[in-house]
Amino acid sequence: MKIAVAGTGYVGLITGVCLAEMGHRVICTDIMEEKIQLLKTGRSPIFEPGLEQMLKNNLLSGRLAFTVNPKIAYKDAEIIFIAVGTPENHDGTSNLDYVHAAAYSIGICIENDVIVCTKSTVPVGTNEKIKEIIQSVKPPPHQAEVVSNPEFLREGSAIIDFFNGDRIILGTNSKSAAAKLEELYLPLKIPIIKTDMRSAEMIKYASNAFLAAKISFINEIAAICEKTGANIEEVAYGIGKDKRIGPYFLQAGIGYGGSCFPKDTKALVKLAGNVQHKFELLESVIKVNNRQQTLAVSLAKNILGSLEGKRVALLGLAFKPDTDDVREAASLMIAKRLLENNASVIAYDPAAVPNARKVLGDAIEYTMNVQIALENADLAIIATEWEQIKHFPLELYTERMKSPVIIDGRNCYSLRDIRRHSISYISIGRPYIIQDKIMEGRSYENSFLH
């Protein structure tokens, strides 16, 4: 099929490249000329395992192309995917300016009947507005059927998710459009669920909200575990074996981040408010997550006392491993709180340093070498569970650091391994391991120390 993709951000680029990999002819368009020129050379503006090689292969095959000219992109297209950003407004609502602009551009440029398929995460009722905008500038005889087709891609494993997803949601009132999209996706052998447009839009928000709720729930249980002597990892394993609950998103830590969960949970709360429903459960989920993102600094002050003049190694900047995305990352909040407490910060990350620098500037130091980050550090805070960190030799903490104190916001290490070393180790929902010399003259909250 001839396919166009509006937007070459995370979702748009993954969608375009993967559809080309399936054998379709795909052209992606974006208003950012610099990004389009970069993509034409086969280089990806985002870090995602396997993406750049697949991008290069499909450019060479001629199945994939990029342009800043929407007329070129939409000419003869059978399906147009809208995958533009929906950033958060100051009041927590979704900014739909880019979505509406894409719809207007489609209406202006199309020269044949087309299916417009919305990948962007949008509030309930948006797809109806998209169709209204297109028809206002391109009345019949040309028809534009609109389908809500939300994405469920996880950063760091997006290509795997595209080809091996749990389900594909098609929300539309048009049987012919649904049949066309079903034909497109059928080779993936992923279950296809057909709904009305508004239900499809809600499925995306409800999915992210539920997963965010699981994360905040397990973090609340972790806080209780710390005060009662239970171990959150054993608790999570035990409840996760229940088929009604499942093991996923039950990893205690310093909270969720990224481009989806924070934005979508707040947008759903606002959406509920707009129809006079107070979403108290989700409000609490957000409140718990905000608290978790500052937990590491609170723990540091509890263990070390004042952070004044302390050198802190912040290990991990991306909101999760295998991505360079720092949007709503806990690391940014941690860095800012450390600076407020007059600590000096050196941050390590194998991929996200350029993006973090755009936010934090030169207020902190950066490195792509863990050992350099740890050199003469008073404290290490683990904010991202990169494999490079999970497999980092523990003896190097004692060799490199001034005083080996680790606050592990992602529970990367086993307590058994830690006990083999002279390291003070504070993780989430598990007993603290404290070397007596670190705590001379101070008290601490965790009562179950081993």
Side-chain angles (χ1 to χ4, degrees), residues 297 301 306-312 334-345 363 378:
V297 178
K301 293 168 73 174
S306 172
L307 296 175
E308 180 95 28
K310 300 293 186 183
R311 182 168 177 81
V312 181
I334 292 169
K336 291 173 183 177
R337 288 294 178 92
L338 289 170
L339 293 172
E340 289 171 4
N341 282 272
N342 297 315
S344 65
V345 181
D378 297 286

Side-chain angles (χ1 to χ4, degrees), residues 112-133:
N112 52 272
D113 293 347
V114 69
I115 296 171
V116 177
C117 197
T118 307
K119 283 283 184 188
S120 302
T121 301
V122 294
V124 175
T126 302
N127 279 279
E128 293 167 9
K129 181 65 176 178
I130 289 171
K131 183 163 187 175
E132 180 184 317
I133 291 171

Side-chain angles (χ1 to χ4, degrees), residues 369-434:
N369 185 311
V370 182
Q371 295 194 49
I372 291 175
L374 293 174
E375 196 70 42
N376 292 318
D378 297 286
L379 171 70
I381 296 177
I382 299 175
T384 313
E385 62 274 33
W386 283 98
E387 289 297 314
Q388 294 92 324
I389 295 171
K390 290 166 69 175
H391 297 293
F392 187 74
L394 291 174
E395 60 269 18
L396 291 179
Y397 283 101
T398 58
E399 292 177 13
R400 295 285 178 175
M401 296 180 71
K402 188 184 299 181
S403 56
V405 181
I406 303 172
I407 294 177
D408 187 352
R410 300 300 180 187
N411 290 359
C412 290
Y413 304 125
S414 75
L415 299 182
R416 179 182 297 176
D417 289 342
I418 288 289
R419 290 190 183 102
R420 299 192 182 107
H421 302 271
S422 297
I423 296 172
S424 289
Y425 182 74
I426 301 92
S427 53
I428 309 299
R430 303 187 294 178
Y432 297 177
I433 299 174
I434 302 293

Side-chain angles (χ1 to χ4, degrees), residues 176-387:
S176 60
K180 187 77 169 178
L181 266 297
E182 193 169 19
E183 179 187 350
L184 175 75
Y185 285 125
L186 207 56
L188 297 177
K189 298 180 180 179
I190 297 173
I192 295 173
I193 300 171
K194 300 174 187 176
T195 73
D196 60 89
M197 282 195 293
R198 292 192 167 215
S199 295
E201 292 164 334
M202 182 58 80
I203 286 169
K204 170 64 175 179
Y205 277 113
S207 296
N208 282 353
F210 186 81
L211 296 176
K214 287 188 75 172
I215 294 170
S216 285
F217 173 82
I218 204 64
N219 282 330
E220 286 285 73
I221 296 297
I224 300 172
C225 284
E226 287 188 14
K227 295 176 179 179
T228 59
N231 186 320
I232 190 58
E233 290 184 331
E234 295 181 11
V235 172
Y237 180 78
I239 66 175
K241 296 301 285 185
D242 188 323
K243 291 183 176 65
R244 297 167 300 175
I245 298 172
Y248 303 109
F249 291 85
L250 290 179
Q251 289 73 43
I254 50 176
Y256 57 76
S259 63
C260 293
F261 284 8
K263 176 173 67 72
D264 292 352
T265 50
K266 285 183 273 188
L268 185 52
V269 167
K270 294 297 292 187
L271 177 63
N274 291 340
V275 292
Q276 289 76 53
H277 179 79
K278 185 172 175 58
F279 205 150
E280 295 182 68
L281 174 61
L282 197 53
E283 288 175 356
S284 296
V285 167
I286 296 167
K287 182 179 179 180
V288 169
N289 196 67
N290 291 340
R291 183 199 68 204
Q292 289 299 117
Q293 291 198 331
T294 64
L295 182 61
V297 178
S298 298
L299 289 170
K301 293 168 73 174
N302 180 37
I303 299 300
L304 295 182
S306 172
L307 296 175
E308 180 95 28
K310 300 293 186 183
R311 182 168 177 81
V312 181
L314 180 56
L315 305 184
L317 289 166
F319 85 93
K320 64 178 290 188
D322 293 323
T323 180
D324 60 353
D325 195 344
V326 299
R327 286 175 288 182
E328 302 287 341
S331 62
L332 303 184
M333 181 63 72
I334 292 169
K336 291 173 183 177
R337 288 294 178 92
L338 289 170
L339 293 172
E340 289 171 4
N341 282 272
N342 297 315
S344 65
V345 181
I346 179 167
Y348 158 81
D349 196 282
V353 166
N355 286 335
R357 193 188 295 272
K358 293 174 185 176
V359 180
L360 297 172
D362 296 327
I364 69 172
E365 300 174 53
Y366 305 90
T367 181
M368 296 178 72
N369 185 311
V370 182
Q371 295 194 49
I372 291 175
L374 293 174
E375 196 70 42
N376 292 318
D378 297 286
L379 171 70
I381 296 177
I382 299 175
T384 313
E385 62 274 33
W386 283 98
E387 289 297 314

